[in-house]
Amino acid sequence: MAQQFRIRKGDTVCIIAGKDKGKSGQVLRVNRQDSRLLVQGINLVKRHQKQTIAQEGGIVQKEASIHISNVAHMDPASKKPTRVRMQFLEDGRKVRVAKRSGETIES
């Protein structure tokens, strides 16, 4: 049975543990098999890149993945870390809701 992730691509998250604690960014990619995320501007590492026709070689700085347990959703109202719960609306849609403020999180 697959684990349900409440964090999706495009969501704004806050880093709650690690070297980038306190920073926030947008989720670029979600890896469900390894429970890891790629967050824009977070966990930057330097990699040696070989030159190609399309790209110049040298030392390139890019994002590395971070474990999903080290991030928390940003509350749309207060811009603080929050937990997320699932809720059914009157029309039958299932939406994500921030526990801190009660606002729905747009997909």
Side-chain angles (χ1 to χ4, degrees):
M1 188 168 140
Q3 179 184 1
Q4 182 185 16
F5 288 139
R6 295 193 165 107
I7 296 176
R8 298 179 187 156
K9 179 181 175 180
D11 289 346
T12 304
V13 293
C14 179
I15 309 303
I16 58 173
K19 67 178 184 177
D20 294 318
K21 182 177 179 178
K23 294 181 183 177
S24 62
Q26 195 171 20
V27 177
L28 301 174
R29 192 180 320 145
V30 178
N31 184 350
R32 293 178 183 275
Q33 287 80 24
D34 299 331
S35 301
R36 297 183 79 81
L37 305 171
L38 202 66
V39 183
Q40 185 177 15
I42 302 297
N43 198 18
L44 294 173
V45 293
K46 292 185 178 182
R47 293 285 182 251
H48 292 267
Q49 182 99 13
K50 196 170 185 180
Q51 185 174 355
T52 63
I53 296 169
Q55 218 170 8
E56 191 176 327
I59 299 173
V60 179
Q61 198 173 30
K62 60 182 184 178
E63 294 97 356
S65 66
I66 187 168
H67 198 269
I68 199 165
S69 66
N70 295 330
V71 301
H73 230 91
M74 289 288 273
D75 191 349
S78 66
K79 303 296 183 205
K80 291 184 178 179
T82 183
R83 290 185 178 183
V84 177
R85 64 182 167 87
M86 304 303 282
Q87 183 178 5
F88 286 98
L89 297 178
E90 291 79 31
D91 60 356
R93 288 187 301 136
K94 189 176 179 183
V95 294
R96 298 175 296 160
V97 177
K99 281 192 176 183
R100 185 182 288 267
S101 66
E103 280 198 33
T104 60
I105 298 168
E106 298 300 323
S107 297

